[in-house]
Amino acid sequence: MPASCRRRKARCRAGVGYGLAWRAAFIVASACWWTTPSQAASAASVTQTWLVQLQVNGRSMFTAPVLQDATGAFWLAASDLARLRMKPDGERRRFNGREYVSLASMPVAFDAVSQTLTIDAPASAFETVTLELDAERMPRAVGEPAAFLNYDGYASTSSGMRSAGLLAEVGASSRWGVMTHSVFSQSGMSGASAKTVRLETTYSIDEPERLRTWRVGDAISHGGAWGRSVRYGGVQLATNFATQPYLSRLPLQSVNGAAVLPSTVDVFINNARVAQREVPAGPFAFTDLPIVTGSGEVRVVARDISGREQVFVQPFYVSPQLLRAGLNDLAFEAGAVRNNYALRDADYGLGFAAGTWRRGLSNDLTAELRGEAAATSRAGGASLAWRIPNASMVFLATLVGSESAHGTGTLTQWGVERAGALTWAARVERNDRAFAGLGRDPTMASAGERITLNGGYARPGLGSVGLGYVRDDRGANGRVELSSMSWSTSVGATAFATVTALRTRIVGTTTRTSVIAMLTIPFGSRGNTSVVRRHDGARAETNVQVQQSRFGAEGIGWTVQASDHGDGRAMVDAYHRAGTASLEATRFNGTNYVRAGATGSLVAFDGDVHASRRLESGFAVVSVPGHSRVGVLFDNQPVGQTDARGQLLVPGLRPYERNRLSIDPSDLPADVDVE
């Protein structure tokens, strides 16, 4: 045989050998892929590869490759399944380096002519979409430099005696904080000379991003679940939820539902619609529902693109005793307790330090730790608030121990509260004689307990009924019992009636019973007439009062009152953007009184001085240069008109919230262009 043939045969034999080896290696590798758990099938199991248009629940989605195995089942890439927001619950295998998921468990139809793969998936096959109803975000805080003077002054005369008083608060604010100083001055009182007393001096710094406020100067302590609040001078660092008003501190409420097709969802809380959202197909969950406290019902109505409607209903119960899971509420303070407030300028006494820490351990359980340390005593304790599952009830428990010169003392508290159409609460507090703490004088205390019971029931047509009972045997006068009952209901279309009975009993000493009945009848859009009948022991009295409130931000309001005993009162209030003035004439027990007063603010801001109603929170200046008497609206409600300079100071803005201010363009000339 020629050498060339031998070489060709050698090459042929070598080629056959290499081909067989390659095929053997491929088969072995494929077998390994097939037999290894969570790995893919061999290429031999795939009979066809298609490029199809995916259609899910009647909606055309996107084009994607799919595999079809020997059994006829289809396989879709896991990444494409994620794009459809569908759960990868089927069998998983790999092919050409990609992971595929079997669609064998779903109703699937394939049209080879149109190259369309139709999937009819239940809502449970989709991933859950979570939506927050509260889309508001904390706005950027604005702290422009400003100075202000709040004033509330009066002058009165009675039987030839005259007196006058002034409550004044001066302050300065900037992005670094607010400094305030308040005083009260009084003169002309019988047998007393003019006197001015300092009330409070405080510097505070808000840190909204950290949800806290610093205070230096005069403050009021946090009492927590069992402590007593006291006025003091010192320092305080405390959580301040008001700096993030859009943050829900209560346990988050949520409601779940499911939609087969993309839908429009309306959310109702106690039959009032609070939000509307568009949701894709699949399960959905609304969180952060705007629920304050109490019990009620959340109703979700979902309407899909085909017009089908589904309704999901879920009851809720939220207690102010609870914190959202993971949320902290802290207060640390140190200083000296203030005595004789409003009588002396600076009577500071007992030094102390205290700390309170509340935390939501879960949405159903909130814990609190508190400790107090003073020169004369120390106290510490723990409290729990537990929402009982499947019941609109919260259980409360507290255990506190103290140590002082009077010995070791304890205080315990427990209680249960329930809200709903039938609302009730029961609390018991017990302490021994030696228990001591801030705001408690062991020399004046006695061992014993305080029991508080109250309940209420409301029903349309019946009205609201309330009952209450308090028994306290820890006071200096012995056991005191207080019982009360009230009933209120609508009368006709607009009137309202209330009856209240109150019984006070000091065991072994006195008993006193009072009954008050009131009927209120509105007239017009701003007025009402009230008739009050009071029985207090042997004394009975009837009072009639007619009043009318102002119209809008400025105007006149008045009140006239008379009793069958000859007493009476007439008062007129004049409201203006620069402040409020009042005039009052009263006759009581045969003596006549006349009183005139004025309240408001002077604000220095951006180089100008503005006269305004009293500042209680934030403010803004609206400027329309060159145009007076232009209406200004705050949250679409009229609050006044610009002055001759084209400016208006708007008080009462909500700190750290979005405040919407606007002007009425109809008050401007036609040739003025409003941006």
Side-chain angles (χ1 to χ4, degrees), residues 50 52 74 109-118:
W50 304 94
V52 301
F74 288 91
F110 177 60
D111 186 343
V113 176
S114 62
Q115 294 287 287
T116 301
L117 184 69
T118 301

Side-chain angles (χ1 to χ4, degrees), residues 95-119:
F95 178 68
N96 286 347
R98 297 186 68 186
E99 187 175 47
Y100 284 78
V101 179
S102 174
L103 303 180
S105 61
M106 297 184 187
V108 174
F110 177 60
D111 186 343
V113 176
S114 62
Q115 294 287 287
T116 301
L117 184 69
T118 301
I119 303 174

Side-chain angles (χ1 to χ4, degrees), residues 215 217 232-237 332-336 351-354:
R215 291 183 180 88
Y232 73 98
V235 296
Q236 181 185 81
L237 172 62
F332 301 100
E333 42 214 350
F352 77 97

Side-chain angles (χ1 to χ4, degrees), residues 415-487:
V416 180
E417 62 179 34
R418 182 190 186 278
L422 174 62
T423 300
W424 57 267
R427 293 200 179 193
V428 177
E429 178 178 301
R430 293 190 178 95
N431 67 272
D432 54 33
R433 185 180 297 274
F435 182 76
L438 287 177
R440 300 173 186 264
D441 186 355
T443 62
M444 301 292 293
S446 61
E449 68 179 10
R450 176 187 176 95
I451 299 175
T452 304
L453 305 172
N454 56 68
Y457 180 73
R459 182 177 178 181
L462 174 65
S464 299
V465 178
L467 299 172
Y469 173 77
V470 178
R471 191 190 78 185
D472 196 336
D473 57 8
R474 301 174 301 178
N477 296 323
R479 176 174 293 181
V480 177
E481 295 180 349
L482 178 65
S483 305
S484 64
M485 182 192 72
S486 64
W487 173 67

